[in-house]
Amino acid sequence: MWALRAAVRPRAWLSRVVRGPPARRADPPRPRCPARALSAFGPGGPGDLQGRGGGGRGPHADGPRGRAGEEEEEPEDAAAAAEEEELLRREPLLPAGTQRVCLVHPEVKWGPGKPQRTRAEWQVAEAAALVHTLDNWSVVETMVVPTKTPDRKLIFGKGTLEHLTEKIRGLSEITAVFLNVERMSTPTKKELEAAWRVRVFDRFTVVLHIFRCNARTREARLQVALAELPVWRSNLKNDIARLDGRGGGSRYIMGSGESFMQVQQRLLKEKEMKIRKALDRLRRKRQLLGRQRRRREFPVISVVGYTNCGKTTLIKALTGDAAVQPRDQLFATLDVTAHAGSLPSRMTVIYMDTIGFLSQLPHSLIESFSATLEDVAHSDLIVHVRDVSHPETELQKASVLSALRGLRLPGPLLDSMLEVHNKADLLPGYSPGEPRALAVSALLGLGLEELKAELEDAILRVTGRRVLTLRVRLAGPQLSWLHKEATVQQVDVVPEAGVADVKVIISNAAYGKFRKLFPE
């Protein structure tokens, strides 16, 4: 009877899945940034750049930061705004309130499934950091459980599972289990929850919930909603299977020719199409802003790296932007953000702070955020920040490089990538062994001048900029034009001749314009 009532209201089931109170957020304060540089990202100038930082944990730690991909522009019309709000309404993935978690890590000690270049204790530490990123969540018990069969339905062998079940049932204080596997199937989740008598979550669900909490722009929130669709499809199949067991899942809806499951699948498909359409609209907006930036010819440096490697701290150190507030937290940066800074020659560049990468990050999450990471493909230089103090630094490097290759970035962009070994102060006497790598401490400011000099050399090389000395008339507009369109390093006035020798850093395109406007 429930299925028949739901069939009369075909959105009834879906509304239970995707609707909920919308997450209203106050507009953050706007930072003060170099107007000419950051105006390239929006028609309203630097005021169009806003963002979040903050020092606390969880979704409400907001502060100013510049967004490169999608400023908080108004939707095209009220209908589009209402539609997007509807798409962003869904139930939480994880329970609210205080949660005391038992962390269970399946350890594969041999065979093809054994992880390379890592240890169980390092994997457990990263999993615990994921849990602690969530407000009011804590790990109260950790279990490393050997398994020979990580691909089996219940992951562990029969005897091991029985022993593990007995231990978990004996932990009266826990409220949930975090099983440190990439993804559980719905049947696996249901059977383990029935056996252990608490909620069970995998890495996919926890990371996705962190993404949802940290998403600020509409684009990031829509990308999270897109990544969540496999969860709802899986839940739909499980619910329909339960209805079939009661004899209610296969009924047709009042002569429409569609079963209840077909209706719900169609509604989910329509939701996916609407999300992709909204993302495409925002992507076109970002491409327009990118073209405006390229017309102004500001070099863009994309800063990438493993999550919590210190990307935001490094950008704050390079730019001196007090609005940038790093957080010691996984996935604190989810929206791509823009920050203007100056190199030793006083040339203005734009630093792009990007989402951090993670090992065993589900493919659907990477795919959903590929639109945001398109900004990396349009940058002039990539800086790969590594936490060299981390025991898994080599594995983290491999994860980041694998993700970057998956973005199909241009070969020359990858070849020119600069590697920055951050947190070198934690390793006394450390010296990079790789070519094109520099050791720094973003927190203490060590090695930053050398890094800026290397960045300047790389930008001049990859963008085709030149250092020229041009003679201009003091009475004419040439000097003013150069100040606007190039980086003026030095002006030597020759008063008796009424001219000045101006040393500039100028692009080939700008130099061509200069010669066309002011022929010798």
Side-chain angles (χ1 to χ4, degrees):
M1 180 60 74
W2 178 88
L4 187 57
R5 284 199 301 269
V8 175
R9 298 187 300 116
R11 294 189 65 88
W13 184 90
L14 188 61
S15 65
R16 178 172 58 88
V17 174
V18 302
R19 292 183 181 177
R24 302 286 183 184
R25 305 183 192 278
D27 291 335
R30 299 170 184 262
R32 296 191 177 188
C33 307
R36 179 175 166 260
L38 293 183
S39 66
F41 292 91
D48 277 352
L49 282 171
Q50 49 185 331
R52 64 164 178 82
R57 294 196 313 180
H60 300 294
D62 294 346
R65 187 173 66 174
R67 291 191 185 96
E70 184 242 326
E71 295 75 30
E72 288 299 315
E73 79 279 359
E74 291 299 318
E76 294 178 357
D77 50 46
E83 181 178 81
E84 286 183 14
E85 281 301 320
E86 179 67 22
L87 293 173
L88 293 170
R89 291 175 184 170
R90 64 263 193 215
E91 290 183 349
L93 294 167
L94 299 179
T98 301
Q99 299 294 323
R100 297 176 297 279
V101 179
C102 174
L103 171 56
V104 177
H105 175 71
E107 182 183 18
V108 183
K109 291 188 174 182
W110 53 81
K114 177 178 171 58
Q116 303 298 315
R117 293 182 290 185
T118 186
R119 298 179 186 174
E121 58 264 33
W122 298 343
Q123 293 176 292
V124 168
E126 183 173 272
L130 284 172
V131 173
H132 291 144
T133 300
L134 300 168
D135 283 339
N136 302 316
W137 284 54
S138 60
V139 176
V140 297
E141 185 72 26
T142 300
M143 301 181 187
V144 178
V145 185
T147 179
K148 301 177 183 178
T149 56
D151 297 326
R152 288 181 56 176
K153 179 181 178 182
L154 296 180
I155 302 170
F156 306 100
K158 182 178 179 181
T160 303
L161 182 60
E162 289 177 352
H163 180 65
L164 179 60
T165 299
E166 182 179 349
K167 290 181 66 176
I168 291 176
R169 286 183 177 180
L171 299 172
S172 58
E173 72 274 16
I174 69 169
T175 59
V177 170
F178 176 27
L179 187 60
N180 193 26
V181 297
E182 181 178 323
R183 186 81 184 271
M184 287 186 298
S185 67
T186 301
T188 298
K189 176 180 170 66
K190 293 295 183 183
E191 288 198 35
L192 291 178
E193 287 181 340
W196 295 343
R197 299 172 183 171
V198 290
R199 300 279 297 276
V200 181
F201 305 104
D202 53 21
R203 283 173 70 93
F204 178 82
T205 307
V206 171
V207 170
L208 194 56
H209 186 81
I210 294 171
F211 275 29
R212 183 195 282 192
C213 290
N214 286 345
R216 292 297 184 269
T217 61
R218 294 204 314 277
E219 183 172 34
R221 293 168 64 199
L222 285 167
Q223 286 173 132
V224 172
L226 182 64
E228 289 176 359
L229 288 177
V231 176
W232 307 131
R233 287 196 173 97
S234 179
N235 291 344
L236 171 62
K237 291 179 181 178
N238 184 69
D239 288 351
I240 294 300
R242 187 169 63 250
L243 286 174
D244 284 340
R246 300 174 183 173
S250 59
R251 298 183 182 182
Y252 289 86
I253 298 180
M254 307 186 87
S256 68
E258 290 183 296
S259 68
F260 177 71
M261 181 172 185
Q262 287 172 332
V263 170
Q264 303 304 329
Q265 287 176 329
R266 175 170 55 80
L267 292 173
L268 280 174
K269 184 65 176 177
E270 290 174 357
K271 178 182 175 70
E272 178 181 0
M273 292 174 63
K274 289 178 180 179
I275 291 175
R276 292 188 183 277
K277 182 179 178 182
L279 284 171
D280 188 59
R281 183 167 59 246
L282 294 174
R283 184 183 296 113
R284 290 195 299 270
K285 169 70 174 178
R286 188 173 61 255
Q287 289 171 348
L288 173 62
L289 297 177
R291 287 194 294 271
Q292 293 174 349
R293 188 270 303 170
R294 287 189 288 276
R295 282 199 298 270
R296 289 166 172 83
E297 297 184 338
F298 290 106
V300 172
I301 301 172
S302 287
V303 183
V304 304
Y306 205 81
T307 184
N308 211 28
C309 68
K311 299 185 304 297
T312 305
T313 304
L314 179 63
I315 290 176
K316 180 175 183 177
L318 290 171
T319 63
D321 187 353
V324 181
Q325 294 297 326
R327 289 185 284 166
D328 184 13
Q329 179 186 93
L330 301 185
F331 299 113
T333 299
L334 196 59
D335 306 298
V336 174
T337 61
H339 309 271
S342 297
L343 296 180
S345 64
R346 299 195 296 274
M347 175 170 54
T348 299
V349 296
I350 304 296
Y351 294 99
M352 307 286 276
D353 194 1
T354 63
I355 179 177
F357 296 99
L358 186 74
S359 63
Q360 297 180 336
L361 196 62
H363 177 72
S364 59
L365 278 178
I366 299 175
E367 185 181 49
S368 296
F369 279 80
S370 61
T372 296
L373 293 170
E374 283 177 1
D375 290 306
V376 177
H378 297 298
S379 59
D380 297 297
L381 181 68
I382 296 177
V383 172
H384 176 195
V385 182
R386 292 176 55 189
D387 176 3
V388 291
S389 70
H390 197 283
E392 289 187 294
T393 183
E394 291 298 329
L395 178 63
Q396 292 180 353
K397 175 182 177 178
S399 299
V400 172
L401 294 181
S402 175
L404 290 176
R405 284 192 291 268
L407 295 175
R408 299 181 181 87
L409 300 177
L413 185 59
L414 286 175
D415 294 339
S416 64
M417 183 163 54
L418 185 65
E419 197 168 283
V420 174
H421 292 186
N422 192 27
K423 306 185 185 181
D425 57 297
L426 301 179
L427 301 173
Y430 176 80
S431 178
E434 296 92 336
R436 290 187 56 77
L438 290 90
V440 307
S441 170
L443 189 62
L444 301 182
L446 303 177
L448 295 185
E449 294 307 315
E450 294 85 351
L451 174 57
K452 287 182 179 181
E454 184 65 29
L455 288 173
E456 182 166 288
D457 290 343
I459 285 295
L460 290 175
R461 185 170 57 252
V462 300
T463 63
R465 279 169 165 77
R466 294 185 284 173
V467 180
L468 299 175
T469 299
L470 303 173
R471 173 157 288 193
V472 302
R473 294 191 302 273
L474 293 175
Q478 292 99 322
L479 185 57
S480 175
W481 191 93
L482 287 173
H483 273 289
K484 180 179 179 183
E485 299 296 335
T487 300
V488 176
Q489 294 186 289
Q490 184 176 335
V491 179
D492 295 322
V493 178
V494 185
E496 61 273 13
V499 298
D501 293 325
V502 185
K503 186 180 179 181
V504 296
I505 296 177
I506 191 168
S507 68
N508 290 330
Y511 182 64
K513 292 178 185 176
F514 178 80
R515 284 303 174 206
K516 185 176 180 179
L517 290 170
F518 312 109
E520 295 182 275

